Amino acid sequence: MKKILFLFLALSLAVFGAEALTGEVQKQPLNISAIIMFLVFVAGTLGITYWAAKRTKTAKDFYTAGGGITGFQNGLAIAGDYMSAASFLGISALVYGAGFDGLIYSIGFLVGWPLILFLVSERLRNLGKYTFADVVAYRLQQIPIRTLAAAGSITTVIIYLIAQMVGAGKLIQLLFGLPYSWAVIIVGTLMVLYVTFGGMLATTWVQIIKAVLLLCGASFIALAVLMQFNFSFESLFASAVSVHPKHDAIMSPGGLVPDAFSAVSLGLGLMLGTAGLPHILMRFFTVADAKEARKSVFVATGFIGYFYILTFIIGFGAIVMVLNNPQYLDVAKQAVEGGAPILGGDNMAAIHLSHAVGGNFFLGFISAVAFATILAVVSGLTLAGASAISHDLYANVFMRGKIDEANEMKISKIATIALGIIAIFLGIVFEKQNIAFMVGLAFAIAASANFPVLFLAMFWKKLTTRGAVIGGALGLITAIVLVVLSPIVWVDVFKNAEAIFPSKYPALISVTVAFVAIWFFSITDKSETAAKEIEAFDAQDIRSQTGIGAEGASSH
Amino acid sequence: MKQDIVKQIISNPKYQELVSKRSKFAWTLSIVILVVYYAFVLVIAFDPALLGAKIGAGVISVGIPVGMGIIVLSFLLTGVYVRRANSEFEALTQDIKNSLK
């Protein structure tokens, strides 16, 4: 039972890019080689920010890197957004703890991408400018729609940022031996620097560099593991089965998915949530046209898939080379709990493995990459949040579109700094809180508030402003309420005996509520504006299908 | 976009061809991936032993190649879509754009 509980915890921790390492973390001795390599990364990326700052002159440069990112580069950047420290440490920890179950998780994570390609990516590129709200507001009323979309974006971004900040603080404490608050302040300051000065161009390149470093590091670990076994998967798995306490059970599905409802709901949330995350959606506006947008999904899917196969090998490698290795054994914890706990918990399995295969130097490298990963992901999030504030709320709602570019950019920079301060502040406030549920919450909101409105705006002629606003808001509220009533918050945080909503995965219900409400309040909307909105669909559809009239790359 | 241009494009046979071909292709591929993924999820929920069964005499279970297969399939399907979309559909789109000049 305890094992299953742990699995759930690990899953919710690992979910979607939040490095939510919860629980007490022991501060480690200062890790000098890791710090030096991290400083090299920071120096390099600040250099890039300087270069990018000189090229970031217009609002278009700031929000979308001038639309001049190639499909391949964007694919790597998207893969980078996905290959967070959580995917790397969390999934390899899941495989380390439960074997096959880790793979189930990776697959749920990956299958959203083909769907995004087939149904969403090119339409998004053809219709949008800076934010996904541009797409939704294309033929609907600007003010209510942008307010709703910005609320969805900002809520997702802030919740996600808190989870990242707390996770970052704990991870850095563990890897570098730096105090928690330092870690949070360093991450917050650097992300503000990247975003305010370098905009999307710097954010994208930081993400690309990190993606390449992480792919190289993970490839090296996996290769070293396979070499030990003469590239025979059979012998790798056989030794893992013989040393793992669960033995043969690690080769088949275990307790990750408890019932059919949770299975389907989790799968749905994984898929649709991805297609509703503002910082991921924004990446599609950085390429020149639909052709490049498609290419970027192809490249991203390839790298993400490859990365998940690596984490699977790494997890099994850790079972053989880290588990039962006295060097990584947490003796103090073992004395209390028995078993063979490793230092820093299961999330450190990949880190210890990097030491086992590459010594101190390589351990430093992997630790620095993990830190870089967090930085890159929070920068993307901050940029997405700042765009929602400056482009959607300020320029289009507050100023009714009557604002010049220079002012809009100024507002977005102020918003970035404000978000940075909020993130640092909340990161410190939430240090001791159980934040595991937050990532799930961010994802549930993305799937239930952002995605249904975006999807129907592109595909359903009869969508009206009333339907989108009421349905989107109901989806948002349902997702939040169900998460609060679920075991993750109702039992774990509020300490009640039993959860009111039994599953941890609300997506199936909240997404359905959103779709049904949007449908109902649209078809019953007989107002004059609704008729106009429906009439405007054909023109929108032509642009979404062909890109005629779409925003192109900027000329310089 | 002016209303007469909208009418002109909608009645363009190339546009109709693009829309119907692409939506058929995109939805077919989407259904393939959805069926494969949910079949996998439902087997895990209802009959996990099926994936735990051994292949041959070794320790490798059916689930491992199946799982890896889904990852590879996702990648291949995106490749199939991009290949056709970036050649055939792009050419049709270009024709439609040219017809407006």
Side-chain angles (χ1 to χ4, degrees), chain B residues 40-82:
Chain B
F40 179 70
V41 168
L42 291 176
V43 170
I44 290 167
F46 291 112
D47 192 6
L50 202 63
L51 289 170
K54 298 286 171 228
I55 302 175
V59 294
I60 296 182
S61 60
V62 178
I64 308 262
V66 168
M68 295 289 170
I70 297 176
I71 293 181
V72 174
L73 178 77
S74 303
F75 177 60
L76 292 180
L77 289 185
T78 58
V80 167
Y81 181 82
V82 172

Side-chain angles (χ1 to χ4, degrees), chain A residues 464-538:
Chain A
T464 70
T465 301
R466 188 176 84 165
V469 171
I470 298 179
L474 281 178
L476 180 77
I477 295 166
T478 312
I480 294 176
V481 169
L482 289 184
V483 169
V484 170
L485 299 182
S486 79
I488 325 173
V489 176
W490 202 251
V491 179
D492 296 351
V493 178
F494 293 153
K495 309 287 173 213
N496 290 300
E498 223 172 300
I500 297 173
F501 178 66
S503 174
K504 299 189 177 191
Y505 310 110
L508 191 54
I509 293 178
S510 55
V511 170
T512 310
V513 166
F515 271 105
V516 170
I518 295 172
W519 167 78
F520 180 77
F521 289 101
S522 288
I523 55 154
T524 54
D525 187 353
K526 301 291 176 207
S527 66
E528 215 170 287
T529 49
K532 274 190 195 143
E533 287 163 3
I534 292 167
E535 209 184 287
F537 180 80
D538 287 342

Side-chain angles (χ1 to χ4, degrees), chain A residues 100 103-104 106-108 110-111 113-115 117-119 122-123 233-234 237-238 241 248 251-253 257 259-260 263-264 266-268 270-271 290-292 294-295 297-298 301-302 305-306 308-309 312 316 455 459 535 538-539 541-548, chain B residues 1 3 5-7 9-10 15 18-19 22-23 26-27 29-31 33-34 37-38 40-42 44-46 48-49 51-54 57-61 63-64 66-68 70-72 74-82 85-86 89-90 93 96-97 100:
Chain A
F100 185 79
L103 192 60
I104 302 176
S106 313
I107 290 170
L110 187 71
V111 290
W113 280 105
L115 290 175
L117 170 68
F118 306 150
L119 303 174
E122 54 198 83
R123 288 163 192 266
F233 281 96
E234 176 63 34
F237 291 137
V241 166
D248 216 26
M251 301 305 286
S252 59
V257 186
D259 57 272
V264 175
L266 171 66
L268 194 74
L270 286 171
M271 253 186 221
K291 204 172 165 178
E292 295 298 309
R294 292 183 201 114
K295 239 189 259 172
V297 185
F298 174 63
T301 312
Y306 170 67
Y308 286 149
I309 292 173
F312 193 63
F316 272 93
F455 183 79
F459 280 88
E535 209 184 287
D538 287 342
D541 199 40
I542 289 173
R543 174 159 159 182
S544 104
Q545 300 266 7
T546 62
I548 293 170
Chain B
M1 208 176 287
Q3 210 51 42
I5 299 183
V6 170
K7 287 221 176 77
I9 295 176
I10 287 182
Y15 179 72
L18 171 72
V19 171
R22 181 169 49 203
S23 80
W27 284 107
L29 291 181
S30 302
I31 288 166
I33 200 84
L34 283 170
Y37 175 58
Y38 277 101
F40 179 70
V41 168
L42 291 176
I44 290 167
F46 291 112
L51 289 170
K54 298 286 171 228
V59 294
I60 296 182
S61 60
I64 308 262
V66 168
M68 295 289 170
I70 297 176
I71 293 181
V72 174
S74 303
F75 177 60
L76 292 180
L77 289 185
T78 58
V80 167
Y81 181 82
V82 172
N86 277 3
F89 300 156
E90 276 299 314
T93 308
I96 298 163
K97 283 182 181 164
L100 291 175

Side-chain angles (χ1 to χ4, degrees), chain A residues 116-191:
Chain A
I116 290 177
L117 170 68
F118 306 150
L119 303 174
V120 179
S121 63
E122 54 198 83
R123 288 163 192 266
L124 200 65
R125 177 64 195 84
N126 285 339
L127 288 174
K129 195 176 174 194
Y130 301 150
T131 64
F132 83 91
D134 292 333
V135 179
V136 186
Y138 192 84
R139 68 188 157 104
L140 304 183
Q141 290 169 51
Q142 297 287 328
I143 292 169
I145 289 293
R146 286 204 189 259
T147 311
L148 171 82
S153 297
I154 296 167
T155 323
T156 318
V157 163
I158 289 193
I159 293 174
Y160 216 122
L161 261 180
I162 296 175
Q164 295 280 345
M165 284 306 223
V166 175
K170 295 199 168 153
L171 190 68
I172 288 160
Q173 233 177 329
L174 205 63
L175 293 178
F176 291 76
L178 289 174
Y180 177 87
S181 54
W182 283 31
V184 170
I185 293 169
I186 293 174
V187 169
T189 313
L190 283 172
M191 81 185 185

